[in-house]
Amino acid sequence: MPGRQNPTLRQRRLGTELRRMREQAGLSNSQLARLLGTTSAYVAQVENGKSSVTVERLHAIAATCMCANQPLIDALADIIVDREKGGWWEEYRGILSTDFLEVAELEAGAQRLATYTSTFIPGLFQTSDYARVLFAQTYPPLAQQHVDLRVTFRMRRQQAVRSLDLPHAAYIHEAALRMRFCESTVLVDQLESLIVASERPGISVRVVRFDADVLPSPSENYAYMAGPIAELDFAQMDTGHGGQLFDAPAHLARFRALIAQMESSALPEGESRDLIRSIKDEVESKHA
């Protein structure tokens, strides 16, 4: 099988789950290879995400490991099929960093999304002008063509996610709504766009107020991408050094707990929409 020098995150996750499958069956790398009629090197490459695997081979591995988790097997087969088809983000490979591409790929395979931001409007709700300001403030500064490229990519991500009609629960801290790192007209348009987005079916926008009783991890911006089964969920957290992605069970449990806390502390949708509108009106009135 041909090797993959740069496996995607979902490809690596496929390998991780196959390794887990083998270990749960009590088989060593060489034992599984012998039963499949292949080499230990190939099994290692598959488990590292560096070698492709067909759906037929997946079923052979599952049968050999006596895996009875059919939903997991079906979800892993979907990863293989999706990888073979490719996605719109592939045309940006080698142009943008893998952080951008991996998030787009994970969203394409998700069943629902949950996000929390405390410093800016979530990327999937940003207007192009608002996104451009954010990218223009990156340090070290980006050339204009690279700013434009990132804005274009973000807008395509929005279109792709909306075309999937993914349920999206967005928790936004009040601070993110009031941040004035852009011109007032840009912020007003952004807040109006957020109000419109909050009224779409399947979209829940809820604000965490300054005076909220519970505010877990206030300095983190994160996203949770629920897969077809819980074993294939992913979480992403923004840091000063770029995005970090998590798929270990303990990490995922932490992010689920954080989301549950947001659910209990954020304003209801209607009150959130009213607060966003009042902040928009306040910005407009001060700069009329």
Side-chain angles (χ1 to χ4, degrees):
M1 291 287 181
R4 291 188 188 277
Q5 298 302 316
N6 297 297
T8 68
L9 191 68
R10 290 184 83 206
Q11 188 75 14
R12 295 196 298 272
R13 184 64 176 276
L14 169 64
T16 297
E17 294 301 325
L18 291 178
R19 182 177 65 251
R20 220 172 256 151
M21 195 181 290
R22 171 179 61 77
E23 292 172 346
Q24 289 174 352
L27 296 173
S28 67
N29 180 302
S30 58
Q31 287 173 325
L32 178 60
R34 186 168 59 254
L35 291 169
L36 292 173
T38 186
T39 65
S40 296
Y42 169 68
V43 172
Q45 284 191 317
V46 166
E47 292 181 353
N48 289 326
K50 293 182 178 180
S51 190
S52 60
V53 59
T54 64
V55 173
E56 291 74 16
R57 177 69 79 175
L58 164 66
H59 286 298
I61 294 172
T64 302
C65 295
M66 293 181 289
C67 177
N69 189 341
Q70 194 59 49
L72 173 62
I73 296 169
D74 291 342
L76 295 179
D78 288 342
I79 291 178
I80 295 171
V81 172
D82 289 345
R83 183 60 180 147
E84 291 173 347
K85 291 189 298 185
W88 63 267
W89 54 88
E90 290 295 339
E91 65 188 79
Y92 292 88
R93 194 168 296 282
I95 303 174
L96 289 175
S97 70
T98 56
D99 287 359
F100 288 87
L101 311 187
E102 286 181 335
V103 169
E105 183 180 11
L106 293 179
E107 288 169 347
Q111 299 296 304
R112 65 184 185 281
L113 306 173
T115 56
Y116 168 69
T117 55
S118 60
T119 53
F120 50 75
I121 304 301
L124 291 175
F125 297 107
Q126 291 174 7
T127 64
S128 59
D129 288 341
Y130 184 92
R132 183 168 284 104
V133 171
L134 289 181
F135 287 126
Q137 294 182 1
T138 300
Y139 187 84
L142 295 169
Q144 187 60 48
Q145 66 187 68
H146 295 300
V147 171
D148 293 341
L149 180 65
R150 284 160 173 72
V151 172
T152 299
F153 186 86
R154 180 153 293 177
M155 296 303 105
R156 289 193 65 180
R157 262 185 65 210
Q158 289 183 12
Q159 294 169 2
V161 170
R162 288 174 186 173
S163 70
L164 296 172
D165 291 327
L166 290 181
H168 185 173
Y171 301 96
I172 307 174
H173 194 273
E174 184 177 351
L177 301 173
R178 296 183 179 277
M179 287 286 186
R180 301 294 182 90
F181 49 75
C182 58
E183 293 182 2
S184 299
T185 53
V186 173
L187 181 57
V188 167
D189 289 345
Q190 174 61 79
L191 294 175
E192 178 61 31
S193 178
L194 182 61
I195 293 169
V196 172
S198 73
E199 296 172 333
R200 294 194 187 103
I203 302 297
S204 173
V205 174
R206 298 180 58 191
V207 177
V208 180
R209 296 203 59 159
F210 283 121
D211 58 1
D213 293 331
V214 179
L215 184 57
S217 304
S219 62
E220 297 176 357
N221 300 308
Y222 55 81
Y224 194 93
M225 292 150 279
I229 56 174
E231 292 98 318
L232 297 182
D233 290 358
F234 282 92
Q236 183 222 16
M237 184 174 67
D238 289 328
T239 71
H241 302 286
Q244 286 185 286
L245 288 158
F246 304 87
D247 60 7
H251 289 143
L252 294 176
R254 173 179 178 267
F255 281 103
R256 290 188 191 109
L258 290 174
I259 292 169
Q261 287 182 306
M262 289 298 170
E263 174 73 23
S264 65
S265 60
L267 292 175
E269 293 178 19
E271 292 181 31
S272 295
R273 195 175 295 117
D274 290 342
L275 178 58
I276 297 169
R277 187 173 288 109
S278 70
I279 293 173
K280 179 182 80 75
D281 293 343
E282 177 186 320
V283 175
E284 280 186 307
S285 64
K286 286 184 177 180
H287 297 84

